[in-house]
């Protein structure tokens, strides 16, 4: 019968600047541990929140207790120079106001997460520390407010604050984009070519359409349209999609999952063929495979589930301008957010948050809010080009699954072109 323990310390600090003004919530520190034991009657789990100096004597095995107590140290480790993060937010808001913005929303978040996973025979420790930024600019274009959202990540707050000049330039570029692409025209109601540019938030398309359908628990129960097609071709050879927890550019990556398995890249779609699922221990056992480092927990209070980390489309050939050149009329879609994803049928719909017209191979005016809808098999088969100009984007809000809260995830992709997808206005 197996036994294991999972110990976690998570410290979070935030600075926000919204229309109502700046706000600095009190930093949070969560500390605790969970234990799992297999018995003839099933699996038993319990968790314990830690207060004070650490676990009480006897609460954990003696061989584990000292390491757990050191990891669960109560002294804060996120100690930026006083007011430094608030100054970053103030500077960015001032830059936006000087550029004529109606407002700029700013979220700065720094996280330090330390974990320890142990069985009766081995122990694995990991640490994730990262800083995240979200900014949303609002500009009055004469026919109402238009907005743009951008995000970024760094290995820590010090490097984020050092990037302030680049961030001020980012805000200026956002305002220029909003002004130059005005006036906004209504989203067309049509089936037409759609292009996703490199490193854009539209990469969440592959997170939803390829990633969730190939998470191990879904595959084990045959619960998705891709789970039933392992080993089958669903797209052209130019399309490969992977999920790689180690690809975080020093920010969101992790070396070990929350079950003590080494994190490693998994190819979901390999040269157009459905390849492999994302596995935790439980789904790996059900499928007769080995775990692949995708067992993730929201916290020590939660059991692990197979979850995505960094989902990316692998580069192929070409670049944005070349892939736009053959499009007489279409949409360049930079920002999608999920609306509905039916895992069994593959039917999907996304909100189009940011898009621009394509006319005769050139990017034109901004398009008003819309809906992109279709079916996963048809959409994947409609991808006729994948560029080599890959970039990463960090999605700071995170991904939810079942009743398990958000986990930080990120995306990466080069330019991706669909021959035809169905779009329409957001009514």
């Amino acid at each position: 019968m197996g036994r294991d323990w999972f110990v976690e310390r998570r410290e979070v600090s935030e600075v926000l600047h919204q229309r109502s003004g700046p706000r600095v919530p009190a930093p949070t520190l969560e500390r605790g541990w969970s234990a799992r034991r297999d018995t003839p009657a099933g699996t038993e789990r319990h968790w314990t929140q830690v207060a004070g100096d650490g676990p009480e004597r006897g609460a954990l095995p003696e061989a584990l207790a000292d390491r757990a107590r050191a990891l669960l140290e109560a002294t804060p480790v996120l100690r930026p120079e006083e007011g430094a993060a608030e100054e970053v937010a103030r500077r960015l808001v001032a830059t936006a106001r000087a550029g004529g913005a109606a407002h700029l929303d700013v979220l700065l978040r720094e996280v330090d997460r330390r974990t320890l996973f142990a069985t009766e025979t081995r122990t694995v420790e990991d640490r994730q520390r990262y800083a995240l930024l979200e900014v949303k600019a609002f500009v009055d274009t004469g026919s109402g407010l238009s907005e743009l959202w951008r995000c970024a990540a760094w290995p820590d707050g010090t490097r984020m604050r050092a990037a302030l000049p680049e961030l001020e330039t980012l805000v200026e570029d956002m305002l220029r984009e909003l002004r130059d692409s005005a006036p906004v025209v209504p989203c067309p109601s049509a089936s037409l070519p759609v292009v996703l540019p490199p490193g854009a938030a539209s990469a969440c398309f592959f997170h939803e359409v390829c990633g969730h359908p190939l998470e191990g628990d879904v595959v084990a129960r045959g619960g998705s349209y891709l789970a039933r097609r392992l080993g089958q071709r669903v797209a052209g050879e130019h399309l490969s999609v992977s999920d790689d927890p180690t690809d975080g550019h020093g920010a969101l990556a992790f070396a070990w999952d929350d079950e003590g398995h080494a994190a490693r890249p998994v190819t979901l779609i390999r040269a157009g063929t459905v390849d492999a699922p994302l596995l935790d221990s439980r789904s790996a056992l059900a499928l007769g495979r080995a775990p692949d480092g995708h067992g993730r927990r929201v916290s020590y209070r939660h059991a692990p589930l197979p979850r995505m980390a960094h989902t990316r489309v692998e580069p192929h050939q070409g670049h944005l301008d070349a892939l736009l050149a053959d499009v007489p009329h279409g949409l360049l879609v930079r920002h999608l957010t999920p609306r509905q994803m039916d895992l069994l049928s593959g039917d999907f719909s996304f909100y189009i948050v940011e898009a621009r017209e394509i006319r005769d191979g050139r990017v034109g005016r901004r398009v008003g809010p819309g809906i992109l809808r279709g079916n996963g098999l048809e959409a994947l088969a409609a991808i006729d080009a994948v560029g080599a100009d890959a970039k990463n984007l960090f999605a700071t809000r995170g991904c939810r699954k079942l009743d398990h809260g958000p986990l930080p995830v990120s995306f990466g992709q080069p330019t991706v072109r669909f021959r035809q997808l169905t779009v329409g206005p957001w009514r």
Side-chain angles (χ1 to χ4, degrees):
M1 298 294 178
R3 298 187 68 184
D4 60 52
W5 296 264
F6 177 75
V7 184
E8 179 183 36
R9 181 192 191 280
R10 183 197 303 267
E11 187 177 346
V12 181
S13 66
E14 287 188 343
V15 172
L16 301 97
H17 201 296
Q18 300 170 314
R19 196 178 303 272
S20 57
R23 186 162 66 90
V24 184
T28 61
L29 175 60
E30 288 189 276
R31 298 178 297 150
W33 57 275
S34 62
R36 183 195 65 86
R37 183 178 66 161
D38 292 332
T39 72
T43 299
E44 295 180 352
R45 297 180 186 274
H46 71 268
W47 58 266
T48 303
Q49 184 174 0
V50 172
D53 293 332
E56 297 179 359
R57 293 289 178 186
L60 291 169
E62 184 176 348
L64 178 62
D66 287 343
R67 293 180 70 169
R69 191 168 289 108
L71 182 143
L72 293 169
E73 169 64 46
T75 305
V77 297
L78 297 179
R79 297 178 177 179
E81 180 182 342
E82 185 174 356
E86 293 95 315
E87 178 62 18
V88 170
R90 282 194 293 267
R91 289 269 298 273
L92 295 180
V93 170
T95 298
R97 287 173 177 163
H103 184 63
L104 183 78
D105 282 348
V106 181
L107 166 64
L108 300 171
R109 177 184 297 147
E110 189 167 4
V111 178
D112 184 276
R113 181 179 186 250
R114 305 181 187 192
T115 60
L116 183 155
F117 178 85
T119 68
E120 293 170 323
T121 59
R122 69 188 186 96
T123 302
V124 172
E125 289 191 54
D126 201 9
R127 181 180 184 182
Q128 292 173 274
R129 183 165 181 172
Y130 52 87
L132 304 170
L133 166 73
E134 288 188 23
V135 288
K136 183 184 285 188
F138 299 83
V139 169
D140 188 345
T141 60
S143 57
L145 286 180
S146 289
E147 63 185 61
L148 279 183
W149 172 90
R150 298 290 184 265
C151 67
W154 295 265
D156 54 54
T158 299
R159 274 173 273 198
M160 177 183 68
R161 292 185 287 274
L164 180 56
E166 291 87 346
L167 295 177
E168 291 174 315
T169 299
L170 170 66
V171 170
E172 292 169 347
D173 290 343
M174 293 170 69
L175 303 181
R176 189 178 303 110
E177 165 82 6
L178 285 168
R179 288 193 299 268
D180 292 350
S181 59
V184 174
V185 298
C187 180
S189 183
S191 293
L192 40 70
V194 169
V195 178
L196 310 182
S202 50
C204 77
F205 176 90
F206 295 96
H207 175 99
E208 297 292 330
V209 173
C210 300
H212 282 304
L214 286 172
E215 288 174 323
D217 50 350
V218 176
V219 174
R221 64 176 184 267
S224 81
Y225 78 107
L226 291 181
R228 301 190 296 271
R229 290 177 170 84
L230 289 172
Q232 296 181 26
R233 179 173 296 281
V234 295
E237 293 186 356
H238 45 268
L239 181 67
S240 293
V241 181
S242 302
D243 194 273
D244 185 0
T246 69
D247 184 0
H249 283 246
L252 299 182
F254 53 90
W256 302 89
D257 74 0
D258 295 332
E259 297 182 300
H261 299 296
R264 64 177 179 85
V266 172
T267 305
L268 303 172
I269 296 178
R270 185 185 300 275
T273 298
V274 183
D275 192 34
L278 306 174
L279 301 173
D280 65 348
S281 293
R282 186 173 180 179
S283 60
L285 181 63
L287 292 168
R289 298 175 178 236
D292 56 29
H294 282 80
R296 303 186 68 191
R297 306 173 194 248
V298 174
S299 77
Y300 64 89
R301 297 180 177 90
H302 296 77
L305 289 175
R307 305 281 299 262
M308 285 172 281
H310 178 81
T311 308
R312 67 180 182 226
V313 178
E314 303 295 348
H316 184 59
Q317 63 184 24
H319 53 84
L320 177 61
D321 289 345
L323 272 60
L324 288 174
D326 295 334
V327 180
H329 178 216
L331 284 186
L332 179 76
V333 179
R334 185 175 181 88
H335 190 175
L336 293 169
T337 58
R339 180 173 181 258
Q340 180 266 339
M341 180 71 215
D342 187 321
L343 295 180
L344 276 172
S345 68
D347 291 341
F348 62 78
S349 62
F350 291 84
Y351 294 107
I352 300 173
V353 179
E354 181 186 345
R356 293 179 66 168
E357 290 182 308
I358 305 170
R359 292 283 185 179
D360 298 323
R362 297 179 179 274
V363 178
R365 295 172 296 179
R366 285 198 57 173
V367 169
I371 302 290
L372 181 148
R373 54 172 51 88
N375 175 268
L377 287 178
E378 295 172 0
L380 293 173
I383 296 173
D384 64 357
V386 175
D389 47 354
K391 293 182 182 178
N392 281 345
L393 172 124
F394 296 95
T396 65
R397 294 292 183 180
C399 170
R400 293 180 179 273
K401 178 175 179 176
L402 302 176
D403 61 345
H404 292 230
L407 286 174
V409 294
S410 54
F411 318 126
Q413 70 170 47
T415 303
V416 177
R417 188 178 68 193
F418 298 80
R419 282 190 301 273
Q420 186 171 282
L421 290 177
T422 299
V423 301
W426 182 355
R427 303 187 192 281

